[in-house]
């Protein structure tokens, strides 16, 4: 079962998600001496990342981080690049961070890049994954019908029209035709291997996906629904994202 935590605003839900994730990182470092994490991008993560980089008591020098996905063929100077996003909102604000392994979506040889990044993450079992849910229910860039079987960490995926329209709608691209059609994405199974998953999902435009992920069956047509099977998945919603749930959560559920 997914642990659902509900707040009135996305600022509150993002801050609460960061607090739980920060505590998981601190506990992992205390127990093992280091922690491996995965960081998500996108408009849904703004408030969470703002709070996470400000969290107290984390020895970031003991943290190794990865990210979920990157567009193919996109330089890190592009406004929509996830590497640029993370350098501005995460790594650039954490100079003591032990390591961040970026997915080079514009690498001249994608096969070589996949071999490189897969070998790196295979040596760093993930303790905490910070993620979101797409308007089409995707997890990372695993659009429906998602591959639930692949065990490699990263692979090339095609982006469906609804996913691309979400990226355009969030203002990352000047026109819909500018949105890439392919990306390198962390796979569903590798996300499931994380010891804890922290989902931050605000806004009314995510309400349909939240309804299917929480109240529907596990299906690759709503890929994030598979997190119903994860033993430590925590979902942070604001009022708008929870608006279509049959059983409305209350703020007290937080």
């Amino acid at each position: 079962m997914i642990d659902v935590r509900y707040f009135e605003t996305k600022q509150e839900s993002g801050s609460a998600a960061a607090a739980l994730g920060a505590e998981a990182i601190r506990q992992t470092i205390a127990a093992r001496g280091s922690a491996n994490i995965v960081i998500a991008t996108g408009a849904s993560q703004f408030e969470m990342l703002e709070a996470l980089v400000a969290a107290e008591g984390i020895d970031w020098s003991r943290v190794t981080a990865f990210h979920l996905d990157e567009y193919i063929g996109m330089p890190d100077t592009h406004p929509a690049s996830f590497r640029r996003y993370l350098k501005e909102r995460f790594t650039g604000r954490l100079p003591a961070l032990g390591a961040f392994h970026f997915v080079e979506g514009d690498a001249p040889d994608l096969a070589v890049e996949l071999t490189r990044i897969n070998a790196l993450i295979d040596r760093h079992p993930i303790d905490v994954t910070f993620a979101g849910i797409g308007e089409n229910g995707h997890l990372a860039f695993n659009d429906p019908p998602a591959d639930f079987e692949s065990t490699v960490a990263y692979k090339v995926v095609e982006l469906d029209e609804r996913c691309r329209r979400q990226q355009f709608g969030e203002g990352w691209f000047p026109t819909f035709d500018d949105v890439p059609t392919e990306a390198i994405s962390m796979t569903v199974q590798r996300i499931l291997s994380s010891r804890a998953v922290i989902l931050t999902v605000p806004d009314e435009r995510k309400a349909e996906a939240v309804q299917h992920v929480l109240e529907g069956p596990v299906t690759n047509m709503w890929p994030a629904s598979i997190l119903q099977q994860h033993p430590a998945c925590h979902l942070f919603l604001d009022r708008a994202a929870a608006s279509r749930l049959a059983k409305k959560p209350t703020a007290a559920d937080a």
Side-chain angles (χ1 to χ4, degrees), residues 10-243:
K10 62 180 179 180
Q11 181 65 58
E12 292 173 303
S13 64
S15 294
L20 184 64
E23 180 58 21
I25 295 169
R26 286 190 290 264
Q27 290 181 1
T28 301
I29 293 172
R32 204 185 63 226
S34 64
N36 304 315
I37 67 173
V38 173
I39 297 292
T41 55
S44 66
Q45 305 300 306
F46 288 158
E47 292 80 9
M48 187 282 293
L49 285 175
E50 182 74 20
L52 183 62
V53 297
E56 297 181 353
I58 298 176
D59 183 351
W60 287 106
S61 70
R62 297 180 178 273
V63 175
T64 297
F66 297 82
H67 58 125
L68 285 171
D69 39 37
E70 180 59 285
Y71 298 108
I72 287 178
M74 180 170 288
D76 62 6
T77 54
H78 191 287
S81 165
F82 294 138
R83 285 169 290 166
R84 175 171 172 169
Y85 175 112
L86 289 162
K87 289 172 184 177
E88 292 175 350
R89 294 176 174 85
F90 191 72
T91 62
R93 300 183 60 185
L94 296 171
L97 184 66
F100 198 107
H101 298 294
F102 290 101
V103 178
E104 306 290 342
D106 58 346
D109 189 324
L110 287 182
V112 171
E113 172 60 10
L114 286 168
T115 297
R116 181 193 72 85
I117 196 69
N118 282 326
L120 279 168
I121 201 167
D122 282 348
R123 297 197 295 270
H124 295 85
I126 301 303
D127 299 299
V128 185
T129 293
F130 295 89
I133 295 173
E135 293 175 23
N136 64 357
H138 72 200
L139 188 60
F141 266 146
N142 298 289
D143 289 336
D147 178 1
F148 279 180
E149 306 302 324
S150 180
T151 57
V152 66
Y154 289 96
K155 61 181 287 190
V156 172
V157 296
E158 293 186 8
L159 308 183
D160 73 10
E161 181 174 342
R162 188 170 184 185
C163 169
R164 294 176 65 226
R165 291 203 176 278
Q166 175 184 330
Q167 310 311 312
F168 172 61
E170 290 183 359
W172 301 109
F173 297 92
T175 73
F176 174 71
D177 289 339
D178 290 315
V179 183
T181 60
E182 291 184 307
I184 294 174
S185 177
M186 185 172 287
T187 61
V188 170
Q189 284 298 321
R190 189 54 59 103
I191 294 169
L192 286 176
S193 75
S194 178
R195 290 177 56 205
V197 177
I198 311 291
L199 297 175
T200 304
V201 187
D203 300 328
E204 191 278 334
R205 61 194 175 86
K206 301 293 183 73
E208 180 188 15
V210 167
Q211 179 187 32
H212 282 280
V213 167
L214 289 180
E215 298 180 342
V218 173
T219 169
N220 67 352
M221 297 309 295
W222 293 96
S225 65
I226 200 169
L227 290 170
Q228 293 177 27
Q229 300 175 352
H230 195 281
C233 178
H234 309 277
L235 172 59
F236 291 79
L237 302 174
D238 66 357
R239 174 186 288 273
S243 62

